[in-house]
Amino acid sequence: MSKPIVAIVGRPNVGKSTLFNALAGEKISIVKDHPGVTRDRIYADVTWLTNQFTMIDTGGIEPESKDLMLSHMRQQAEIAIETADVIMFIVDVRQGLVDADFKVADMLRRSGKPIVLVVNKVDNFDKFMPDVYEFYNLGIGDPHPVSASSKLGLGDMLDEVIKFFRPEDMAEEEDERPRIAIVGKPNVGKSSIINKLIGEDRVIVSDIAGTTRDAIDTTVKYHGKEYIFIDTAGLRRKNKITEDLERYSIIRTVTAVERADVVVLVIDASEGVTEQDAKIAGIAHERGKGIIVAVNKWDAIEKDDKTIYKHTNKIKEVLAFMPYAEMIFVSALTGQRLNKLFDLIEQVIQNQNLRIATGVLNEIMTEAVALQQPPSDKGKRLKLFYITQVAVKPPTFVIFVNDKSLMHFSYTRYIENKIREAFGFAGTSLKFFIRERKEKE
């Protein structure tokens, strides 16, 4: 299910991050405890009533000067306009309406995207309401008063946001064709891989003034089957704020990963695997997507009989949190092994959708428990009663035990490894939920 994307836009110090954190709660984690995966909160999953969406904070670095600030705001607005289904425009009741608010409101209004105008720092509704009404002058609809720090008015605001989720946002579900996101740092050869697969020399970008749609979908046919490739390369902005670009490319990656079934992480063979690669892989891992690591520019590497082995080990080391990822060494330049990519994608899709009979799962679990006794604590031993698969994409299992607190992460990992030994599940993560059940049942 691809979730709608809601972007937060606003000037510095209007309380974007406070609002972001209030909505995200403390539930945000990007693959904890793995060096190289940052905790920079850019996106979070939010559930309101029965609606789930991904919230993106376009904030980033706050430039010093006034003129820079406006171009920065413009950039934030562009990012929001191009990636989001709904935009939350945050203003500050205490600073009142300022010039920059009008300019950004103009851009947002022209985009035709749904906008929810949020007036923050309204700690006292009676006192501040006259000042809230002033924001009607922006011409983007009703202002919604909230206080992010006191968590006031958030419910009404979210009700407004979810009104704009259209069934079409979910319509991609109807399209049965596999979606493949090609992700990775700039200049690792994402577009050249797609071009080679399409057999043309370019990814077609529509040159309409003002549009910078960054994910370009391309349909590729292979052995009579159609695949949709989501290319996140898009257009490089000429831009001085480089750290911002890095942050924004992560935002684009999140949106592409969100829509994909399988993620192909392209890394540059000559450069090896970097921290940014690990960050991108972490997003796909956290989202339970199928994962293939494509090492590109393999033709440019001096080789001996140990080269592949060395490279594989290095990558596995940095991406230790996803040992299941499939790996392939390719060259977009020469086309080497690119046809193998489709076979791998097919295999990963099948693994993502694999269902295992409950009886078989329980046999594996019983055998695993016999081979390695479950942990015990203060004389109480963990008992595993029953395991069943409850979902696919990614394959998701529930294990019923006598005491959840005894089920250590390492024992869950042990059961996972036993299931993988039997069924492979290459290229896909597996999710496990532990439920408690009384002995008598």
Side-chain angles (χ1 to χ4, degrees), residues 321-379:
F321 55 93
M322 35 186 273
Y324 56 83
E326 282 286 3
M327 219 174 290
I328 183 170
F329 294 85
V330 300
S331 161
L333 190 67
T334 65
Q336 181 189 16
R337 286 201 203 88
L338 274 185
N339 55 341
K340 289 255 179 13
L341 189 58
F342 282 105
D343 304 339
L344 258 190
I345 288 170
E346 245 337 283
Q347 198 184 322
V348 170
I349 290 170
Q350 278 167 4
N351 286 337
Q352 276 245 300
N353 288 291
L354 191 56
R355 277 189 190 275
I356 297 171
T358 302
V360 180
L361 279 172
N362 282 285
E363 276 170 34
I364 294 173
M365 186 176 82
T366 311
E367 192 176 312
V369 169
L371 282 172
Q372 188 175 325
Q373 265 219 325
S376 61
D377 186 34
K378 300 191 182 69

Side-chain angles (χ1 to χ4, degrees), residues 41-297:
R41 301 179 158 194
I42 298 176
Y43 65 95
D45 292 325
V46 179
T47 305
W48 176 243
L49 308 175
T50 55
N51 293 272
Q52 290 190 320
F53 60 91
T54 297
M55 180 173 54
I56 287 180
D57 179 6
T58 59
I61 301 144
E62 309 297 9
E64 314 294 287
S65 76
K66 278 273 183 286
D67 344 320
L68 243 184
M69 189 181 94
L70 207 73
S71 71
H72 182 72
M73 288 287 304
R74 205 167 275 137
Q75 226 186 335
Q76 279 184 33
E78 275 173 26
I79 295 282
I81 288 166
E82 84 205 20
T83 54
D85 297 301
V86 181
I87 297 166
M88 284 166 69
F89 182 33
I90 318 296
V91 290
D92 177 343
V93 75
R94 292 165 191 242
Q95 296 175 22
L97 257 178
V98 304
D99 193 34
D101 290 335
F102 279 106
K103 293 208 165 69
V104 175
D106 264 357
M107 274 186 75
L108 296 176
R109 193 171 46 239
R110 283 201 299 271
S111 76
K113 288 271 173 104
I115 301 155
V116 177
L117 175 59
V118 180
V119 184
N120 193 18
K121 305 191 186 173
V122 183
D123 305 326
N124 176 330
F125 282 23
D126 302 336
K127 183 171 137 201
F128 284 112
M129 269 338 259
D131 300 327
V132 170
Y133 294 137
E134 188 193 348
F135 288 94
Y136 271 110
N137 291 320
L138 288 173
I140 48 178
D142 300 336
H144 297 273
V146 304
S147 162
S149 57
S150 326
K151 297 193 166 61
L152 293 174
L154 300 185
D156 293 347
M157 174 194 75
L158 286 171
D159 286 345
E160 194 56 35
V161 169
I162 62 180
K163 267 187 208 158
F164 291 112
F165 294 168
R166 305 180 310 279
E168 303 88 274
D169 295 341
M170 313 300 176
E172 287 190 343
E173 295 313 292
E174 308 308 300
D175 191 339
E176 288 296 296
R177 296 175 296 178
R179 296 176 171 276
I180 319 299
I182 306 275
V183 302
K185 298 200 317 288
N187 308 326
V188 291
K190 298 187 289 286
S191 296
S192 9
I193 286 184
I194 290 187
N195 295 340
K196 204 71 170 180
L197 295 173
I198 309 169
E200 300 171 21
D201 269 351
R202 56 206 190 92
V203 171
I204 295 126
V205 181
S206 54
D207 292 325
I208 311 159
T211 65
T212 40
R213 226 16 238 184
D214 278 80
I216 300 158
D217 291 6
T218 314
T219 308
V220 180
K221 222 176 175 149
Y222 182 74
H223 286 339
K225 181 170 175 179
E226 287 194 349
Y227 298 82
I228 295 173
F229 279 85
I230 305 166
D231 174 19
T232 51
L235 309 168
R236 274 276 147 264
R237 299 265 176 66
K238 290 176 185 53
N239 178 315
K240 294 188 185 56
I241 311 172
T242 46
E243 297 102 298
D244 260 15
L245 263 183
E246 182 141 314
R247 183 184 171 99
Y248 289 154
S249 63
I250 289 268
I251 290 181
R252 302 203 172 100
T253 302
V254 174
T255 39
V257 166
E258 194 66 71
R259 296 175 50 220
D261 301 307
V262 176
V263 174
V264 177
L265 171 64
V266 182
I267 61 182
D268 181 331
S270 51
E271 210 184 309
V273 61
T274 65
E275 192 172 312
Q276 175 94 340
D277 295 323
K279 205 189 292 185
I280 294 171
I283 294 168
H285 168 77
E286 198 184 39
R287 292 288 195 269
K289 304 295 180 176
I291 300 180
I292 296 170
V293 178
V295 185
N296 189 23
K297 309 188 185 173

